[in-house]
């Protein structure tokens, strides 16, 4: 058997030996193994040369490659790579915190489509013959016309994973009610165009109820209510001209300052209604439940930032009006989060689709709860905000 063939024949043994039987570290071992295979000819030749000069050796006979030799080479490569990396203990608390936020919020944004599909398939929250509810991760858009990875781009793969060999030629999954790129949580999919049309009809008639959980910077006053202020898109001038959604109130203070006067609504403004309820507050922040009754772009973010003056944590777009800059956080909040203001740009948007309710069969409505992402639960713990699932259902 040739040296190369022998090396490939012993790959499985090497992998087990190098990883100590831990298959979860197989990817790192494989990368080390690839590096080892590229450098193998040099140390194989070294052994051959030594064999030629050894007393009683047969120069014509090539040494056989043993699995243990290749495994030890993999372990040496692994040790070198680990030594090159900065140990986690040597990182400052600030660096560790930023590393955690990046890990939790960016881990699925640049993966292979099949990896994303497998992750979404494992995160299926509900399914029947017409509908599927999945757990949407942070930073992955539902649709992306530029060709980048998105939820829609991997739905055919998820459909095959769910139906397996029973998959019909026309089987498909279609997004019904979308979520913004930075929003996490329950995402509703239909298994046919007829089911999608039915859900859209229910949505137009306000029969699809969605509840979101957000962490706000500030405490809304009053603690619960309904925000009914239209929203319009406006251009923001300045060094960085850009567009933002803004409030377009139909009432303004009268000249005397003791009442309001109704004004003519802007023809391009969209009606926007959001119900809110403070679930808990601590450390200058709040855990708030939002229930939008309309579907205007960025509606909840605009209502919280500009109507209540309590922007959502991690909302770097609507925490300022006249500029594009990371969210300015109070010193008290930064201390609780373990960050400095210069690193605030790494804080992800804390906007999560917590519950989805829509009319079901005679057995009752369909109600699906979605668990919080890890970075969200960590923030709640750091800010001492109480998470009681049973209390808030």
């Amino acid at each position: 058997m040739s040296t190369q063939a022998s090396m490939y024949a012993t790959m499985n043994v090497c992998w087990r030996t190098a990883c100590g039987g831990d298959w979860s570290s197989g990817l790192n071992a494989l990368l080390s193994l690839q590096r080892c295979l590229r450098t193998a000819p040099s140390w194989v030749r070294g052994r051959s040369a030594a064999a030629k000069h050894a007393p009683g050796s047969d120069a014509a006979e090539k040494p056989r490659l043993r699995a243990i030799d290749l495994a030890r080479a993999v372990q040496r490569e692994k040790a070198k790579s680990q030594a090159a990396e900065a140990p986690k203990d040597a990182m400052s608390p600030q660096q560790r915190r930023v590393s955690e936020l990046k890990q939790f919020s960016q881990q699925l944004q640049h993966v292979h489509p099949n990896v994303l599909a497998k992750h979404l398939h494992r995160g299926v929250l509900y399914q029947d013959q017409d509908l599927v509810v999945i757990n949407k991760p942070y930073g992955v858009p539902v649709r992306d016309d530029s060709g980048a990875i998105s939820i829609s781009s991997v739905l055919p793969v998820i459909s095959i994973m769910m139906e397996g060999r029973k998959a019909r030629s026309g089987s498909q999954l279609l997004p019904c009610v979308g979520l913004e790129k930075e929003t996490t949580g329950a995402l509703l999919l239909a298994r046919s165009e007829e089911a999608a049309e039915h859900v859209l009809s229910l949505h137009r008639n306000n029969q699809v109820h969605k509840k979101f959980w957000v962490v706000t910077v500030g405490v809304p006053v009053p603690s619960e209510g309904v925000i009914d202020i239209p929203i319009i898109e406006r251009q923001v001038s300045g060094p960085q001209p850009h567009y933002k959604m803004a409030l377009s109130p139909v009432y303004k203070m009268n000249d005397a300052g003791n009442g309001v006067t109704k004004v003519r609504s802007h023809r391009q403004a969209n009606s926007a209604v959001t119900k809110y309820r403070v679930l808990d507050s601590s450390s200058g922040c709040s855990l708030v439940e939002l229930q939008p009754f309309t579907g205007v772009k960025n509606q909840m973010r605009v209502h919280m930032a500009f109507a209540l003056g309590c922007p959502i944590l991690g909302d770097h777009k609507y925490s300022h009006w006249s500029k594009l800059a990371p969210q300015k956080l109070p010193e008290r909040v930064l201390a609780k989060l373990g960050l400095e203001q210069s690193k605030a740009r790494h804080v992800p948007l804390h906007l999560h689709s917590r519950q989805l309710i829509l009319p079901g069969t005679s057995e009752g409505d369909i109600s699906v709860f979605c668990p919080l992402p890890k970075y969200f639960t960590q923030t709640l713990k750091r800010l001492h905000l109480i998470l009681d699932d049973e209390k808030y259902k």
Side-chain angles (χ1 to χ4, degrees):
M1 182 184 293
S2 67
T3 301
Q4 184 178 9
S6 176
M7 290 167 68
Y8 282 109
T10 56
M11 283 177 68
N12 187 36
V13 177
C14 297
W15 192 328
R16 287 180 177 273
T17 305
C19 300
D22 181 11
W23 288 91
S24 64
S25 60
L27 179 59
N28 292 330
L30 180 58
L31 294 175
S32 299
L33 182 59
Q34 289 175 335
R35 290 192 294 268
C36 178
L37 288 173
R38 288 195 295 269
T39 60
S42 62
W43 57 268
V44 169
R45 286 194 298 271
R47 287 191 58 200
S48 300
K52 287 180 180 179
H53 294 88
S57 64
D58 185 0
E61 182 182 352
K62 294 182 180 180
R64 297 182 64 185
L65 182 64
R66 297 183 303 166
I68 190 63
D69 294 330
L70 189 54
R72 286 170 180 168
V74 171
Q75 288 177 330
R76 286 195 297 270
E77 289 290 330
K78 222 172 148 185
K80 288 179 182 178
S81 63
Q82 289 175 354
E85 296 177 358
K88 196 167 184 179
D89 294 340
M91 298 172 64
S92 68
Q94 183 84 202
Q95 291 173 324
R96 283 199 299 270
R97 182 66 179 134
V98 171
S99 178
E100 288 176 355
L101 290 173
K102 287 182 178 180
Q103 177 187 355
F104 294 147
S105 61
Q106 299 179 11
Q107 57 186 353
L108 289 172
Q109 296 181 28
H110 305 289
V111 298
H112 190 277
N114 287 349
V115 176
L116 177 60
K118 188 174 182 179
H119 175 84
L120 296 175
H121 179 244
R122 288 199 303 264
V124 170
L125 304 171
Y126 171 86
Q127 61 177 311
D128 59 27
Q129 61 182 1
D130 296 317
L131 302 173
V132 175
V133 181
I134 62 175
N135 186 354
K136 178 191 172 300
Y138 177 87
V140 181
V142 176
R143 296 181 179 86
D144 194 317
D145 297 332
S146 66
I149 189 171
S150 66
I151 303 292
S152 296
S153 67
V154 299
L155 288 182
V157 181
I158 300 175
S159 179
I160 294 174
M161 288 180 175
M162 295 183 65
E163 300 193 25
R165 295 181 180 179
K166 298 180 181 180
R168 303 182 300 272
S169 59
S171 61
Q172 58 183 332
L173 290 173
L174 304 170
C176 297
V177 182
L179 295 176
E180 296 173 9
K181 179 180 177 180
E182 295 84 6
T183 304
T184 60
L187 177 64
L188 182 60
L189 308 173
R191 283 183 146 169
S192 65
E193 293 183 359
E194 293 78 8
E197 286 294 331
H198 176 66
V199 171
L200 291 176
S201 176
L202 294 174
H203 190 256
R204 284 191 293 267
N205 295 321
N206 292 323
Q207 292 181 276
V208 178
H209 302 294
K210 297 177 291 181
K211 293 183 179 180
F212 294 79
W213 279 15
V214 300
V215 175
T216 63
V217 181
V219 181
V221 177
S223 59
E224 61 180 299
V226 176
I227 306 169
D228 185 0
I229 305 177
I231 293 176
I232 189 173
E233 187 173 33
R234 296 189 186 278
Q235 183 176 12
V236 180
S237 58
Q240 298 175 294
H242 59 282
Y243 287 88
K244 282 183 180 177
M245 306 304 289
L247 299 177
S248 181
V250 293
Y251 291 93
K252 70 173 184 178
M253 294 294 296
N254 58 24
D255 295 336
N258 57 3
V260 296
T261 302
K262 189 171 183 178
V263 297
R264 186 177 181 180
S265 60
H266 197 290
R267 65 177 61 185
Q268 294 181 342
N270 298 292
S271 175
V273 182
T274 306
K275 182 180 180 180
Y276 74 93
R277 176 170 64 117
V278 176
L279 303 179
D280 192 26
S281 58
S282 176
S283 307
C285 294
S286 301
L287 175 63
V288 182
E289 179 185 83
L290 302 178
Q291 185 174 358
F293 294 113
T294 51
V296 181
K297 177 183 177 182
N298 300 154
Q299 172 179 319
M300 292 177 286
R301 298 164 66 179
V302 172
H303 275 170
M304 296 307 296
F306 301 146
L308 290 178
C310 298
I312 299 174
L313 180 63
D315 193 347
H316 306 292
K317 182 175 183 178
Y318 290 104
S319 293
H320 313 277
W321 169 251
S322 59
K323 60 183 179 179
L324 294 172
Q327 185 177 35
K328 179 69 174 176
L329 295 174
E331 290 294 332
R332 181 184 181 187
V333 175
L334 288 169
K336 291 289 184 180
L337 295 178
L339 292 171
E340 296 176 356
Q341 181 57 44
S342 62
K343 304 298 182 183
R345 65 184 184 277
H346 297 293
V347 178
L349 182 68
H350 286 62
L351 173 56
H352 179 72
S353 177
R354 175 64 174 168
Q355 185 182 10
L356 188 64
I357 307 171
L358 65 159
T361 61
S362 57
E363 299 178 358
D365 293 344
I366 299 171
S367 179
V368 182
F369 285 89
C370 184
L372 296 170
K374 194 167 183 178
Y375 72 84
F376 202 116
T377 56
Q378 277 202 346
T379 296
L380 295 181
K381 291 178 182 178
R382 284 178 170 272
L383 296 175
H384 303 294
L385 294 170
I386 299 175
L387 176 62
D388 188 343
D389 287 348
E390 294 300 325
K391 180 179 178 181
Y392 299 134
K393 284 186 178 179

